[in-house]
Amino acid sequence: WENQYLVNFTYESGNTTVMPCTPVQFGGNKAAPCEKAPQLGEHTKEVLAELGYSAEQINELVAKKVVSSYQ
């Protein structure tokens, strides 16, 4: 606990658990926060938009089930 290899984590549902964090730490570097993994397709629209797709194109890809988008 002292070295922050384990942290208490609360999910959006309010459930809590203990999560392991990376035990690799270097002096002077702050460890990244322990977070939940994204849901499948959670960032699909943002990534496609960054690649130049329009909102209309993205919605069409989601509707045709070419890509998955977590709502």
Side-chain angles (χ1 to χ4, degrees), residues 11-56:
Y11 292 96
E12 294 170 0
S13 65
N15 294 334
T16 60
T17 188
V18 174
M19 288 185 64
C21 291
T22 180
V24 179
Q25 297 178 11
F26 300 97
N29 290 338
K30 185 175 180 181
C34 292
E35 299 177 344
K36 72 171 187 64
Q39 296 289 329
L40 179 63
E42 186 172 344
H43 301 110
T44 297
K45 291 181 178 182
E46 291 90 345
V47 170
L48 290 175
E50 287 178 12
L51 292 173
Y53 287 86
S54 69
E56 182 179 288

Side-chain angles (χ1 to χ4, degrees), residues 49-62:
E50 287 178 12
L51 292 173
Y53 287 86
S54 69
E56 182 179 288
Q57 291 172 313
I58 294 169
N59 290 333
E60 184 177 333
L61 291 171
V62 172

